[in-house]
Amino acid sequence: MAGMLDVEELAEIVSFLANDRPDVKCEACDAVSAALGGDDALANRQNVATMLEQSVPLLLSKMISTPYPPGLIAGKSINEVWKTRVQYHSLNAASAMVGVGGEMAAEAFLSSGMIGRIGEIVMEHTPAITQLRDMMNDEARDANESERVVDAGVAFLANISRTEAGSSAFLDKESLMTKLITEFVATPPKGFDCFQHVASILMNISQMERGRKIILNKTDAYLAKISPFLLSGTTTRRYGVAGAIRNVCFEKDFSWWLLNEAKIVDTICFPLCGPEGFDIDDKVGMNPEFWLSGIDKKREVDVDIRMLLVEAILLLCACGRRARETLRELQVYAVVKVLDLSEESEEVSNKIDEVVQYLMRDEEGQESNEPVRILDESELTQSKVVKPKQGESYDSID
Amino acid sequence: MSIKYYNDNDSGVEFLDEKVELPSKDERTYKGTTQLSCTLCKCDLPGRLFAADGSTNYCVYCYNTLNPNIKNSLVETTAEARTAPIDADIADMFSKAMDKAIDEGKGWKSEAERQAYLDKVGDDDFLPAIFCTNEDELAKAPDAGAFSELLYNGETPTSLMLSFKEKGNKSVKLGRQNEAKNVQYYRDAINHYLESIGWCDKIVCVDDEDYEPPKEGEEEENDDAPRSFTRAELNIVKSTLFSNKAMTHMELKNWGFVVEDCEASVKLNPGNVKSWYRLAKARQKRKEWELCAFACDEGLKADKDNAPLKKLSAAVAKQAMAERNARQKKERERVKRVGTVKSLWKWCKEKKIKLGRVPLVATLEDEEDEDDTEEKRWNHVQPHFGKMPVIESLMEYTFPAMFLYPTVGQSDFVEGMAGGEMIAMRLAEMFPEEGNDIPWDHSQMFKCSNLAIYFEVHQTGSVVHPHSVRVLEDMKDCMRFFENARALKGADGLEAAEKAREEEREKLAVYRDLWKKEKGRWQAPADVCDVVQVHPAATLERVLLNPKFIAPNFLVNFLIFPQDHESHKVFLKERRVVAIVQPE
């Protein structure tokens, strides 16, 4: 699986990718995914480099772009299913390439209009998905063809939006983004979640100022729509939304709106509260939801997501004195203090210390030193690479 | 009349004219069966005498003892009469009947079949149902169904289920009416209900796979014959059965069984309000307030205006709330404790003091250690008294310390030894120069000026014996170790102890694997620890900051020997002294 591809193997794969038969194409795509899916990062990067030289992205884009010509394989007629399968496999391979290859691979794909094509695929398959969802929304079931191909497409977008070129290209297609966000918000909790990686896309586009402005747009209200998914059962969704919120808190100009209108503190602090409850003094000014569930409240279990949320609070602290005073009124210090007691990760613990330092400091005579911390663009985080699933069937849903 | 002696052998009867040598009286064997044994002495008739009606036989010996009059009345019967005791007419009738049966096809279809049956009978494994002693044999016996048929007289599972339900209901009614408060009625009712539930499982529902609709022309036995059920309907009936059984248990005050039955009942039919009520009531009796409140809520979901449920809900609301608050309080205390450990860790990190963990379990499976001998031995080695280091500031702190005296097999525990305290000072307190009052120091060999102090060096390499001390890598390790140690001592309840045991067992498995890779097998013994000698004038701080020192289980362990004692010499031979901690 891992390891460097030698020249013959690569040539073989390239020839299979160009083959007419769809099943051969699918196998070749799987070989590409496997070659890039190993643990050896260096080998993966070298493989991508060689593949780029051989114009593999072009071949993959062709597979996704060209509507499959009617014809025969071994006497049977090619039907829509094969077309979708070819798209699915090639999207997986493309996803892997962009995930490992970064900017260069992204550019190669963008030049062949991948994003537009994926948009078309999404539009094509969404009615089928909506129908399935309405029919069997309460059962856990295996993915069907439409869902898998859409999921692969969204995963590709998530990986390509990690790069700047990819993000800009994606933001150019506003209609696609609107569509994806609508579907993301509409998916019920059970059943196969094919739009979960939209959260990662949002996290990645929020790295750019343009992206942040779109998310903070008051008319579209995307922020309010995605905030509830911070409590979703799927880790990908929670991580993506937390990342998007964290990046968005970077915008100092919006800090007043975030704190007072959008009530972002409620969204951020709720997952950080646990079953311990609070002292009576701490509850003054605090949102009652933080303690109302009592002993049944479960804290966010994923350490990376907790880190993102604490960083979001830290970013808000750095937005100025007014922001800090609002945070104090909302008793963020109490929440964070209780969180720190049982926090097992040292990194998160250190971040919490920083927050505490901000919140506990004496504000008098500090006017000239605003802000103590310079917010660096490089601090903005991006989503983790989405690795395509190996093999035909999906594992069970998170 | 002459006595005729007959000699029985396989080929039939022989008449013997001469007197045969018969076995002696003592050699006679005794049967006891009615057939072919002497009527008087029940022996095996070594030579036979037949009497008039063929039913009375005498052996030779008994014949000789007979009264002559009786002897005269005896009539020999012939061999043929013996083997064909039945009348000729009857025999004729018999054979006619047999022929008729064979004509009707009731005989063996072929010789092969007959032979097969005979073989089977002779086979030891073939056990007719009547001889079976346990359920497995009954399952193998081919005619087991016949007995069931016999017992139930061809009734269907449905009718049986309903009949047992009726019986159960009747028993309960009788039990309630009974003035003497005889509880046996209720016990009978429970058994009836149980049987009814058993029959439920045998009913084939309309929506099952192997359902066969009744054939055309097969009439129902009578008009109230039960109809067929769908799976959903059957579940409701079964739910009622469980509910009734629960009610019976309530009369008997078996609250545990009530809970069990009610849970089964609501699983089958969540709309069964009676079951929810009974569940809530049972939980109340068992003082499980939160669970009671939960059951009330679920019941009210099914039926919003149910007065008894509302009343019960109100009655336990306060206690349920109190229980929840108590749980929350416990959680908060736990979190505070963990927070203390966390700050301790941070402090140790700043001062560069290494903390170590001890393994908390000794076995991977429950069966490995039958009577907990391993575990007990293990827990004894590193007891945790619950006293932790107390930190005031970077320089002001106390650490608990253990002074071990291998010479006499004794130890002393100091709850808090200050960081700046010289070890010599502590020893001078415990073992004054003039003499001490310690009962185990008979020969007064422990005098502070005469003592050698050592501590063990743990974890010299990266791979450590599974049962040895190993260093705690990071904050998470430290916190989890502390919590698990507490939980395994039983401080947080059974569930927490189980979880802790799981976690620690996983760790032990990993350590064993690593040790196995290193040494070939995980049981390979650990190397003996090196020791570091401590100058008596050194302070505790010097010891703690020594790079070779690890504090296992938040404790400092000192080994103390009288300098000139034999045990000290032996100790020095066994262990290497790799360093000395000097005072500043």
Side-chain angles (χ1 to χ4, degrees):
Chain A
M1 194 147 133
M4 280 258 317
L5 287 175
D6 52 8
V7 186
E8 296 148 16
E9 287 176 332
L10 184 60
E12 211 178 29
I13 292 179
V14 170
S15 70
F16 285 150
L17 285 174
N19 193 308
D20 275 334
R21 287 177 47 167
D23 48 348
V24 172
K25 283 192 199 282
C26 288
E27 287 295 322
C29 291
D30 281 344
V32 170
S33 304
L36 301 175
D39 290 325
D40 186 357
L42 187 61
N44 291 347
R45 280 201 291 277
Q46 282 171 332
N47 286 342
V48 169
T50 41
M51 282 182 201
L52 285 173
E53 282 166 27
Q54 300 283 339
S55 329
V56 168
L58 196 58
L59 290 164
L60 290 173
S61 321
K62 274 214 186 109
M63 273 191 257
I64 297 168
S65 312
T66 327
Y68 210 91
L72 297 170
I73 309 175
K76 299 188 194 146
S77 67
I78 304 162
N79 54 16
E80 286 293 309
V81 176
W82 267 118
K83 175 178 129 194
T84 319
R85 272 194 206 152
V86 166
Q87 286 174 336
Y88 165 68
H89 285 273
S90 47
L91 278 170
N92 266 350
S95 231
M97 284 196 72
V98 178
V100 178
E103 290 282 349
M104 288 189 48
E107 276 177 25
F109 279 107
L110 286 173
S111 57
S112 35
M114 277 290 271
I115 297 196
R117 185 59 194 147
I118 291 180
E120 286 169 27
I121 293 178
V122 167
M123 297 306 287
E124 193 186 316
H125 288 276
T126 325
I129 295 176
T130 322
Q131 206 180 31
L132 254 179
R133 169 201 306 165
D134 292 333
M135 267 180 13
M136 324 201 302
N137 65 349
D138 262 348
E139 295 166 25
R141 55 190 163 78
D142 288 330
N144 85 336
E145 299 281 352
S146 298
E147 290 176 324
R148 291 198 318 176
V149 76
V150 166
D151 182 63
V154 177
F156 174 82
L157 287 174
N159 279 350
I160 206 170
S161 56
R162 283 163 53 93
T163 64
E164 201 173 325
S167 272
S168 331
F170 179 74
L171 287 170
D172 287 334
K173 299 252 183 322
E174 276 200 48
S175 57
L176 178 57
M177 182 161 99
T178 323
K179 177 76 182 166
L180 285 175
I181 295 184
T182 322
E183 292 301 325
F184 174 75
V185 170
T187 319
K190 299 255 181 82
F192 183 70
D193 195 353
C194 46
F195 289 102
Q196 57 182 311
H197 295 293
V198 174
S200 309
I201 302 179
L202 288 171
M203 181 172 177
N204 290 337
I205 60 169
S206 60
Q207 289 184 276
M208 305 175 59
E209 195 183 332
R210 197 174 140 202
R212 290 199 288 277
K213 290 277 174 14
I214 291 181
I215 295 177
L216 289 169
N217 186 325
K218 292 172 195 168
T219 23
D220 292 327
Y222 288 143
L223 188 61
K225 283 188 189 155
I226 64 171
S227 295
F229 291 97
L230 199 51
L231 306 169
S232 150
T234 318
T235 312
T236 321
R237 286 192 177 226
R238 290 203 308 273
Y239 188 79
V241 172
I245 291 179
R246 178 212 180 273
N247 285 345
V248 144
C249 287
F250 189 81
E251 292 286 327
K252 290 216 314 249
D253 301 330
F254 281 85
S255 63
W256 187 92
W257 180 79
L258 278 170
L259 289 168
N260 297 297
E261 299 276 327
K263 304 274 188 232
I264 199 81
V265 169
D266 291 346
T267 323
I268 298 177
C269 288
F270 186 73
L272 297 175
C273 298
E276 306 90 4
F278 300 101
D279 292 330
I280 191 77
D281 308 317
D282 292 336
K283 288 184 187 170
V284 179
M286 196 190 270
N287 182 339
E289 283 191 2
F290 293 176
W291 74 77
L292 270 184
S293 311
I295 190 86
D296 298 326
K297 177 83 180 62
K298 299 244 177 341
R299 189 170 270 125
E300 171 60 61
V301 294
D302 189 293
V303 66
D304 297 323
I305 298 177
R306 283 202 300 271
M307 185 65 168
L308 287 172
L309 293 172
V310 175
E311 284 178 347
I313 298 178
L314 190 58
L315 283 168
L316 287 170
C317 286
C319 282
R321 184 173 166 175
R322 270 298 319 154
R324 284 195 290 276
E325 286 182 356
T326 318
L327 288 171
R328 285 183 200 121
E329 278 166 33
L330 294 171
Q331 299 283 18
V332 171
Y333 172 69
V335 172
V336 140
K337 189 176 65 165
V338 174
L339 171 66
D340 188 41
L341 285 177
S342 61
E343 177 56 60
E344 289 178 353
S345 154
E346 281 204 63
E347 293 170 1
V348 179
S349 219
N350 292 340
K351 267 291 180 300
I352 293 175
D353 280 339
E354 286 184 55
V355 170
V356 165
Q357 271 185 19
Y358 257 112
L359 290 177
M360 283 290 101
R361 75 180 199 175
D362 193 8
E363 296 287 357
E364 309 302 319
Q366 296 281 6
E367 298 294 344
S368 52
N369 288 0
E370 294 272 31
V372 173
R373 219 162 158 278
I374 301 163
L375 294 173
D376 197 348
E377 281 262 351
S378 66
E379 286 190 1
L380 297 166
T381 47
Q382 39 172 243
S383 74
K384 304 178 186 154
V385 174
V386 181
K387 287 204 173 161
K389 310 265 195 313
Q390 309 285 356
E392 271 289 344
S393 59
Y394 278 82
D395 299 330
S396 61
I397 313 147
D398 303 17
Chain B
M1 178 184 59
S2 62
I3 300 171
K4 289 234 162 69
Y5 293 94
Y6 296 108
N7 196 0
D8 255 345
N9 56 33
D10 286 356
S11 58
V13 174
E14 264 174 31
F15 286 95
L16 305 165
D17 287 329
E18 325 84 66
K19 193 166 165 196
V20 169
E21 199 62 42
L22 292 170
S24 65
K25 218 172 181 176
D26 303 304
E27 286 171 4
R28 285 184 286 175
T29 55
Y30 288 84
K31 267 192 195 166
T33 55
T34 48
Q35 249 189 350
L36 301 178
S37 60
C38 168
T39 325
L40 271 183
C41 68
K42 305 272 183 265
C43 76
D44 203 11
L45 296 181
R48 209 177 321 215
L49 229 57
F50 292 89
D53 50 3
S55 63
T56 325
N57 307 312
Y58 296 105
C59 68
V60 177
Y61 308 101
C62 294
Y63 181 79
N64 292 335
T65 59
L66 283 178
N67 191 301
N69 290 336
I70 299 176
K71 274 191 193 172
N72 286 335
S73 71
L74 287 177
V75 168
E76 293 161 35
T77 52
T78 61
E80 287 139 25
R82 175 167 60 92
T83 52
I86 316 167
D87 225 0
D89 289 334
I90 301 173
D92 192 35
M93 200 166 70
F94 239 160
S95 56
K96 282 215 186 92
M98 275 175 63
D99 287 330
K100 185 161 170 226
I102 290 175
D103 285 334
E104 284 178 11
K106 290 188 181 161
W108 290 111
K109 300 277 186 304
S110 65
E111 183 58 34
E113 248 191 63
R114 176 170 169 272
Q115 195 55 38
Y117 176 73
L118 286 175
D119 288 337
K120 207 161 59 152
V121 169
D123 187 13
D124 276 334
D125 283 336
F126 174 75
L127 211 56
I130 200 165
F131 294 117
C132 293
T133 46
N134 55 35
E135 259 189 58
D136 297 331
E137 288 175 4
L138 199 61
K140 279 199 293 188
D143 49 354
F147 282 90
S148 194
E149 274 291 311
L150 211 59
L151 186 60
Y152 294 115
N153 199 21
E155 293 198 35
T156 66
T158 320
S159 64
L160 282 162
M161 185 266 285
L162 289 168
S163 80
F164 278 110
K165 184 174 170 201
E166 250 325 292
K167 284 192 191 146
N169 292 349
K170 272 208 201 99
S171 290
V172 173
K173 208 158 144 196
L174 285 171
R176 287 193 173 143
Q177 287 168 350
N178 181 283
E179 289 195 3
K181 302 277 179 229
N182 184 353
V183 296
Q184 192 53 37
Y185 289 111
Y186 294 130
R187 303 216 175 98
D188 291 339
I190 291 169
N191 287 332
H192 287 312
Y193 286 132
L194 265 173
E195 184 133 14
S196 178
I197 292 169
W199 281 112
C200 263
D201 291 330
K202 299 234 165 52
I203 297 179
V204 183
C205 291
V206 179
D207 36 357
D208 271 356
E209 281 171 2
D210 31 346
Y211 177 70
E212 289 160 13
K215 302 194 180 30
E216 295 291 324
E218 248 180 39
E219 27 186 283
E220 302 277 294
E221 296 275 311
N222 44 28
D223 281 331
D224 357 289
R227 66 217 195 321
S228 38
F229 293 99
T230 64
R231 184 55 52 179
E233 287 172 348
L234 188 60
N235 279 346
I236 294 185
V237 171
K238 217 166 156 187
S239 172
T240 324
L241 285 168
F242 274 115
S243 195
N244 290 352
K245 189 146 96 68
M247 185 69 232
T248 325
H249 276 301
M250 281 186 97
E251 300 281 356
L252 293 170
K253 303 203 191 320
N254 297 333
W255 308 117
F257 284 124
V258 177
V259 167
E260 206 181 285
D261 287 331
C262 285
E263 303 225 296
S265 173
V266 296
K267 196 165 159 207
L268 290 163
N269 176 14
N272 194 334
V273 186
K274 273 197 186 149
S275 289
W276 282 120
Y277 179 73
R278 286 167 190 160
L279 181 60
K281 201 78 196 158
R283 295 240 188 254
Q284 188 197 31
K285 292 289 179 186
R286 284 161 62 103
K287 301 202 186 337
E288 294 165 343
W289 312 117
E290 261 195 272
L291 291 166
C292 173
F294 173 73
C296 287
D297 289 337
E298 291 291 316
L300 285 167
K301 263 192 221 164
D303 174 11
K304 274 199 287 282
D305 301 311
N306 192 302
L309 269 175
K310 282 194 183 157
K311 199 165 127 202
L312 190 54
S313 181
V316 294
K318 214 168 75 177
Q319 285 135 322
M321 204 61 203
E323 206 178 77
R324 281 172 70 89
N325 287 345
R327 277 210 290 157
Q328 193 171 61
K329 195 157 153 236
K330 263 192 128 177
E331 184 63 29
R332 286 222 254 169
E333 281 164 15
R334 179 196 78 90
V335 149
K336 272 208 193 84
R337 268 196 305 269
V338 163
T340 323
V341 171
K342 197 167 145 166
S343 50
L344 174 65
W345 166 267
K346 285 189 183 159
W347 179 87
C348 284
K349 194 151 173 213
E350 221 183 300
K351 295 224 20 147
K352 298 211 194 327
I353 298 177
K354 289 201 277 272
L355 291 174
R357 60 170 286 132
V358 293
L360 296 170
V361 291
T363 55
L364 282 181
E365 305 275 336
D366 288 331
E367 295 81 40
E368 255 183 61
D369 180 29
E370 288 264 316
D371 357 299
D372 280 344
T373 40
E374 281 290 322
E375 296 278 357
K376 281 208 195 99
R377 174 151 62 96
W378 182 246
N379 283 329
H380 176 71
V381 171
Q382 292 276 6
H384 193 274
F385 296 103
K387 306 293 177 211
M388 296 285 283
V390 175
I391 315 291
E392 306 271 333
S393 74
L394 207 58
M395 299 311 293
E396 300 282 322
Y397 58 91
T398 62
F399 243 84
M402 277 282 279
F403 291 90
L404 301 161
Y405 317 111
T407 317
V408 288
Q410 295 287 341
S411 62
D412 274 325
F413 177 70
V414 176
E415 205 176 296
M417 197 164 153
E421 188 176 341
M422 266 202 281
I423 307 192
M425 299 300 296
R426 180 63 68 157
L427 289 175
E429 263 180 60
M430 299 197 309
F431 306 107
E433 219 33 66
E434 315 78 65
N436 59 48
D437 300 325
I438 301 173
W440 46 258
D441 190 12
H442 309 290
S443 32
Q444 291 287 308
M445 55 181 157
F446 280 83
K447 289 194 182 345
C448 57
S449 56
N450 185 29
L451 295 174
I453 312 162
Y454 302 94
F455 67 79
E456 283 183 316
V457 178
H458 300 288
Q459 185 145 11
T460 40
S462 57
V463 183
V464 179
H465 187 265
H467 290 179
S468 293
V469 172
R470 64 186 68 222
V471 90
L472 284 168
E473 305 282 346
D474 59 21
M475 188 159 83
K476 181 168 173 194
D477 254 352
C478 181
M479 287 163 77
R480 290 244 57 90
F481 168 67
F482 174 76
E483 281 191 78
N484 288 346
R486 251 190 76 89
L488 280 170
K489 288 260 179 291
D492 292 328
L494 214 57
E495 236 184 78
E498 275 310 310
K499 243 177 63 180
R501 187 162 294 128
E502 278 290 321
E503 221 180 292
E504 290 297 319
R505 276 183 170 165
E506 272 172 45
K507 283 208 174 83
L508 184 65
V510 169
Y511 297 152
R512 278 188 182 178
D513 282 337
L514 288 171
W515 188 249
K516 188 168 165 187
K517 252 188 236 165
E518 179 84 2
K519 296 276 178 172
R521 55 188 191 102
W522 72 258
Q523 293 95 333
D527 304 322
V528 170
C529 292
D530 297 332
V531 286
V532 169
Q533 187 166 15
V534 180
H535 193 282
T539 56
L540 183 62
E541 171 124 350
R542 295 283 301 162
V543 173
L544 289 174
L545 294 178
N546 188 289
K548 293 206 189 320
F549 177 77
I550 299 177
N553 209 1
F554 312 105
L555 209 57
V556 182
N557 292 323
F558 289 120
L559 295 164
I560 312 276
F561 289 93
Q563 290 274 16
D564 38 8
H565 198 269
E566 187 59 36
S567 61
H568 188 205
K569 296 192 179 51
V570 171
F571 176 74
L572 286 175
K573 257 195 239 146
E574 283 175 356
R575 315 278 199 124
R576 279 192 320 165
V577 180
V578 291
I580 301 184
V581 176
Q582 300 285 4
E584 252 149 67

